[in-house]
Amino acid sequence: MSLPLSRAAAARVAPFALFMILLALRGAIPEDTLIDPRWIYGVSVVSVGAVLAYFWRDYAELARSHWPDLKEWALAIVVGLAVFFLWIKLTEPWMVLGEPSATFRPVDEQGNLDWSLIAIRWVGAALLVPVMEELFWRSFLMRWVEQPKFGSVDPRRVGFRAIALSTAVFALAHTLWLAAIVAGLAYAWLYRYTGKLWVPVVSHAVTNGVLGAWVVRTGQWHFW
């Protein structure tokens, strides 16, 4: 029996699919149960990290030989900071798709910050999510739209149609759809321009890492 997905596709789809399933589970847990739904994110981080570790040898695009050079590091950081700035600015009502999901609030009844929850959230958002999402959205979906045998597609040869369609789907997965379009196009451009997946991964990590620090500082948890 053949699998519906090749191993190469499964390696890039499975971590993202598992993450989304666990996030949906978090939303289904009532607030008054013994299980604090905020800890589901930690479970997600550990579970997805284990899946990424299992498939790690399948990610040829993340091999050490594809590590960014100094110029690419600088480019990734600049783009990541620009995406962060636009992400917190593109919040007008018409730029928002649907209602925000349940807000993550790492505080107790006295309003004190729970730094264990914050640390898990920040590590997941800044270190794991960028790898997981760039493997799915850019390495897999963007190249798969270009050619079903996506592994043979040079990201530097991906056309506008593949970038536009993968970015549109990326935007639908986020409440701030316009900000997500900007982010998706920025990360896709980095991948196409450099041909290295690590560059959008680093840029995505910068965006998420700075966003997390900003959220903790301002208390605007709905951005997280």
Side-chain angles (χ1 to χ4, degrees):
M1 180 186 296
S2 61
L3 295 173
L5 288 177
S6 67
R7 181 179 175 90
R12 291 155 181 80
V13 173
F16 180 78
L18 176 61
F19 188 77
M20 297 304 293
I21 290 170
L22 290 174
L23 286 187
L25 176 62
R26 181 191 66 179
I29 297 177
E31 293 288 344
D32 58 352
T33 60
L34 295 177
I35 301 174
D36 188 338
R38 296 177 301 176
W39 284 104
I40 295 297
Y41 193 91
V43 174
S44 303
V45 168
V46 173
S47 301
V48 173
V51 175
L52 287 172
Y54 174 77
F55 284 116
W56 193 255
R57 292 186 179 180
D58 294 274
Y59 304 137
E61 62 272 55
L62 295 180
R64 184 170 297 182
S65 58
H66 295 287
W67 194 246
D69 60 27
L70 186 60
K71 178 182 176 181
E72 291 163 344
W73 265 98
L75 180 62
I77 292 170
V78 169
V79 172
L81 291 173
V83 171
F84 156 72
F85 179 79
L86 292 171
W87 193 274
I88 64 174
K89 294 296 183 181
L90 299 177
T91 57
E92 294 297 324
W94 65 272
M95 303 175 184
V96 180
L97 180 67
E99 295 294 330
S101 57
T103 302
F104 172 74
R105 292 184 58 81
V107 295
D108 57 26
E109 295 180 355
Q110 288 73 41
N112 299 315
L113 293 176
D114 187 330
W115 288 103
S116 58
L117 282 171
I118 290 173
I120 291 172
R121 185 80 172 197
W122 192 90
V123 168
L127 301 182
L128 181 137
V129 168
V131 174
M132 173 198 73
E133 289 207 346
E134 294 309 311
L135 280 168
F136 176 74
W137 294 111
R138 256 60 68 178
S139 181
F140 170 68
L141 188 60
M142 188 177 81
R143 293 195 296 167
W144 179 83
V145 172
E146 186 74 19
Q147 165 62 252
K149 294 183 179 180
F150 70 95
S152 63
V153 176
D154 184 343
R156 292 166 293 190
R157 300 291 182 267
V158 171
F160 174 79
R161 172 176 169 271
I163 292 175
L165 287 177
S166 59
T167 299
V169 179
F170 178 73
L172 291 175
H174 295 79
T175 302
L176 298 175
W177 65 267
L178 184 57
I181 286 178
V182 171
L185 289 175
Y187 302 147
W189 173 77
L190 286 173
Y191 191 28
R192 190 180 191 279
Y193 178 70
T194 65
K196 297 179 180 179
L197 190 67
W198 273 120
V199 179
V201 167
V202 170
S203 189
H204 200 151
V206 169
T207 300
N208 287 6
V210 176
L211 178 63
W214 178 83
V215 166
V216 173
R217 181 177 180 276
T218 62
Q220 298 193 52
W221 305 110
H222 57 282
F223 276 96
W224 223 13

